[in-house]
Amino acid sequence: MKKKKLLSITLVMCLMITLFAGCGSTKTEPSSSAGGQSTETASAAGSGTAEAGTEPESSLLDSLPEAVGAGVEIAASPELYAATDLSKEYTVNMYLIGDTPNDWDKVLALVNEYLEPYNTKLAVTVMSWSDYQTMYSLVLAGGEQVDLIFTAPWCYMYNEAAKGSFYELTGDFISTYMPLTNKYQAAESWDETTISGKTIAVPSNVAAPMGKIVAVRQDLMEKYGMSELKNWDDYMQFALTIAEKETPESGIYALAASGDNNELWDVYRQQTDTFLALDSSWLDMMYEYKGNIPAKEDIKLAYEYDSFRQYAKDMKTLADAGCWSRSALTNTVTDDDSFGNLQGASIAWNASVFTYMEQAEKTEGVSCMAYDLTKDHLVGAEAYSNNDMAIAAGSKNPERAGMVLDLIKYDTYLNKLLLLGIEGEHYSIDDKGQYTELDKATEYPAMNISASWAIKNGDLEEAGTPERETLITDSWKERVVMNPTITFVFDDTNVKSYVSAVTAVLTDYVPMLELGLVDDSDATLDEMIQKCYDAGLQNIYDEFYTQYDAWLATR
């Protein structure tokens, strides 16, 4: 199952899509949230190795800016980590997913140079997009030494939390070993990584709009007499036109689909004003938003809604017309990369599509445009927890791992290094604190590694954002609605076997339905739903509704 990385703009709203019960936390909440306008630069005084067993002096934290925000520079020092034993060198092993930038080794070398006063080194293993689905659980369960690992609701966070794969972050642990996180992490964000009363990861420190859009090859639009896309029907016509006239000529697919069409489904369902009350490995519980908290009977499996049935029919229409390869189910090249490499005429997702539009436009004669097909409908918001960093339960030194996470998330130099690369080489910063990617940014694109999504703070803005992007993203602000089920978390402990069985059915059926690679979409969908009930879907509903009632009583 492919869930996209999110390279989004900042807007403080959040959407919680979760799986286990317990929305409270047993720890003390951090004392402040992201924001602020300070332009001062502050550093905890001194250097060297701190004495273990003592907490950081309050004066050291007090000397730092009150909040993270535009223009703030935060510089840490070993004295902040007085409770962490730094007497022996330790290498923190961090596991990420995604692509490895060409200049990664150069950036990591600078990270380790900066960590020398902490007697600490950082080693990083990147699991590729094609490998992480099989490697992720094996890494946590196997003999590999893992200290830090990227996780998310779409990246096995709930499954691994249920196995006890993550170290519990208590209030005492955070305040003692992660003082910057304790000071700066948005207080409201912690509930989103608190499962059954245990906080198992540090979420990103920024929530962003989740508007879904499509990007297309505008030069191909104009080639075939089309000027703009206003709605879903326009997109369907564009795709069918490309399949009929362009694909036979150039081999360019309307959409070079890969694995599924989950991103296009999100575009489609945005026009139905729906939210997810549960999202995990295809087990999506959805409801239509009507301005308030939904009743339990209004929440059901997404694929039981008429909207998905119609979507599946549209996908079959497109598939039969040749809008994507018949081998799309097993295609390992992402639709994003195919679009950027001129092998696809469209992609769907959030504001990250602009990155691939720019990549495609490096070829002379190619022009791209993004379109919002659902302008009259709500826009959800990304959860803080959509990208997280966790300490592995098997870490040999969780205190040192916590320190490194604390530093890369809030020490300005390290944070910018991982998010943007090397200043003066990959990017520059103007007097407004906004960054501009330089020519060598192709070797280390901004916000490209998964760690950057988890440690972002919302205080970095790109200079000169193209008007075509701001026109869309600015329009989202007036339509953003927070998911009212944001703090409901489903605990599947009592129905775990049923969840596994139903998820197995969905994993077999949903991708091919989303790609239209079936003989009869109605019959296939009916067959899938019946198999879900045979596998225990009603048992899941019963447990889900019981827990939802208990949660609803607290609202």
Side-chain angles (χ1 to χ4, degrees):
M1 174 181 178
K2 180 178 67 172
K3 294 283 187 181
K4 285 289 185 66
K5 50 193 172 181
L6 296 171
L7 308 177
S8 305
I9 62 164
T10 300
L11 178 68
V12 179
M13 296 285 294
C14 56
L15 171 64
M16 179 59 177
I17 305 171
T18 49
L19 182 62
F20 291 107
C23 56
S25 173
T26 58
K27 61 180 175 51
T28 302
E29 298 269 355
S31 57
S32 63
S33 58
Q37 300 296 320
S38 172
T39 57
E40 65 181 305
T41 299
S43 171
S47 61
T49 303
E51 179 182 354
T54 59
E55 293 197 14
E57 294 182 13
S58 60
S59 59
L60 295 177
L61 285 173
D62 291 343
S63 69
L64 298 174
E66 284 300 312
V68 179
V72 166
E73 295 286 331
I74 299 169
S77 78
E79 281 73 21
L80 276 174
Y81 304 94
T84 303
D85 184 358
L86 303 180
S87 62
K88 295 180 181 179
E89 184 179 278
Y90 184 78
T91 297
V92 171
N93 290 295
M94 180 167 70
Y95 279 72
L96 306 176
I97 66 170
D99 302 318
T100 303
N102 293 335
D103 279 352
W104 172 247
D105 288 342
K106 293 172 63 175
V107 170
L108 184 59
L110 290 175
V111 170
N112 280 321
E113 180 181 309
Y114 194 81
L115 289 176
E116 287 179 2
Y118 299 85
N119 209 19
T120 301
K121 292 182 179 179
L122 178 64
V124 178
T125 300
V126 181
M127 298 173 281
S128 70
W129 288 114
S130 59
D131 292 338
Y132 88 94
Q133 295 184 27
T134 55
M135 288 181 62
Y136 194 91
S137 293
L138 294 175
V139 163
L140 286 170
E144 301 292 334
Q145 172 55 30
V146 185
D147 294 295
L148 291 173
I149 189 166
F150 175 85
T151 191
W154 53 270
C155 185
Y156 306 107
M157 183 167 78
Y158 305 125
N159 292 340
E160 294 303 325
K163 298 175 186 177
S165 298
F166 303 129
Y167 185 85
E168 182 183 356
L169 302 174
T170 65
D172 286 343
F173 182 92
I174 294 171
S175 62
T176 303
Y177 300 110
M178 305 179 69
L180 298 179
T181 300
N182 191 56
K183 181 180 178 72
Y184 295 120
Q185 183 70 25
E188 66 271 18
S189 69
W190 289 107
D191 276 350
E192 300 186 17
T193 54
T194 299
I195 298 172
S196 298
K198 296 181 179 181
T199 300
I200 49 83
V202 180
S204 71
N205 207 28
V206 59
M210 290 276 283
K212 301 299 189 293
I213 53 182
V214 296
V216 300
R217 284 277 301 278
Q218 187 69 17
D219 56 305
L220 295 181
M221 286 262 294
E222 295 171 358
K223 178 179 179 179
Y224 297 111
M226 293 173 278
S227 58
E228 64 176 323
L229 303 180
K230 295 181 179 179
N231 51 47
W232 177 257
D233 289 340
D234 286 350
Y235 176 74
M236 289 281 291
Q237 186 57 50
F238 165 77
L240 292 169
T241 300
I242 295 298
E244 177 189 357
K245 300 180 178 180
E246 182 64 29
T247 306
E249 175 184 318
S250 66
I252 297 173
Y253 285 111
L255 192 158
S258 173
D260 58 60
N261 258 342
N262 192 258
E263 297 80 16
L264 201 57
W265 162 234
D266 280 339
V267 169
Y268 186 90
R269 74 177 184 84
Q270 185 167 283
Q271 66 186 328
T272 65
D273 291 329
T274 55
F275 278 127
L276 295 177
L278 174 64
D279 177 19
S280 179
S281 301
W282 298 118
L283 189 60
D284 296 348
M285 294 291 190
M286 190 171 80
Y287 65 94
E288 296 174 352
Y289 179 70
K290 299 177 181 179
N292 47 33
I293 299 176
K296 66 181 179 183
E297 56 267 20
D298 294 330
I299 303 172
K300 60 183 179 179
L301 191 67
Y303 317 111
E304 292 198 86
Y305 277 91
D306 289 340
S307 55
F308 184 81
R309 185 173 294 273
Q310 184 57 53
Y311 175 74
K313 291 179 180 179
D314 285 354
M315 293 302 98
K316 178 167 173 54
T317 297
L318 297 181
D320 289 348
C323 291
W324 43 78
S325 169
R326 300 300 294 185
S327 62
L329 273 169
T330 56
N331 184 12
T332 58
V333 180
T334 69
D335 52 346
D336 287 340
D337 287 336
S338 294
F339 183 83
N341 295 328
L342 309 185
Q343 297 167 336
S346 71
I347 52 172
W349 198 227
N350 59 4
S352 64
V353 300
F354 292 101
T355 299
Y356 298 96
M357 290 165 58
E358 292 171 1
Q359 181 180 334
E361 289 173 336
K362 290 179 180 178
T363 299
E364 185 176 355
V366 172
S367 62
C368 303
M369 186 57 69
Y371 293 99
D372 185 345
L373 306 181
T374 56
K375 294 180 180 178
D376 297 328
H377 298 274
L378 66 80
V379 172
E382 177 190 4
Y384 288 100
S385 62
N386 202 60
N387 301 284
D388 317 282
M389 289 295 296
I391 299 174
S395 172
K396 293 179 180 178
N397 196 331
E399 295 81 10
R400 196 80 68 100
M403 180 190 74
V404 168
L405 177 53
D406 205 45
L407 288 167
I408 64 175
K409 192 172 177 71
Y410 289 108
D411 181 279
T412 301
Y413 174 79
L414 285 180
N415 190 255
K416 286 183 179 178
L417 193 57
L418 289 173
L419 266 59
L420 304 176
I422 302 170
E423 186 172 1
E425 185 171 340
H426 301 121
Y427 74 98
S428 62
I429 292 283
D430 62 22
D431 55 5
K432 296 181 180 178
Q434 297 178 326
Y435 72 90
T436 298
E437 290 190 282
L438 303 178
D439 291 341
K440 290 189 176 181
T442 54
E443 306 303 304
Y444 197 95
M447 314 294 181
N448 186 252
I449 64 171
S450 59
S452 68
W453 317 329
I455 64 175
K456 60 188 177 182
N457 288 301
D459 60 333
L460 286 173
E461 296 182 359
E462 186 172 9
T465 302
E467 183 180 3
R468 67 184 181 185
E469 182 173 349
T470 58
L471 283 174
I472 288 179
T473 56
D474 286 351
S475 72
W476 290 343
K477 296 177 182 179
E478 296 180 354
R479 296 186 284 138
V480 169
V481 176
M482 185 170 65
N483 183 352
T485 63
I486 189 169
T487 59
F488 172 69
V489 189
F490 177 53
D491 182 355
D492 76 341
T493 301
N494 295 332
V495 289
K496 189 174 296 294
S497 61
Y498 297 119
V499 168
S500 296
V502 171
T503 298
V505 173
L506 297 173
T507 301
D508 285 342
Y509 279 84
V510 175
M512 63 182 180
L513 283 165
E514 288 187 342
L515 288 165
L517 300 176
V518 295
D519 293 331
D520 184 321
S521 60
D522 277 329
T524 303
L525 181 56
D526 290 341
E527 180 181 293
M528 181 191 79
I529 291 173
Q530 183 58 55
K531 285 189 175 182
C532 284
Y533 277 98
D534 292 343
L537 179 58
Q538 188 58 54
N539 299 81
I540 297 174
Y541 272 136
D542 293 343
E543 180 68 19
F544 183 94
Y545 291 152
T546 296
Q547 293 183 26
Y548 188 79
D549 276 341
W551 171 83
L552 193 60
T554 68
R555 295 304 92 194

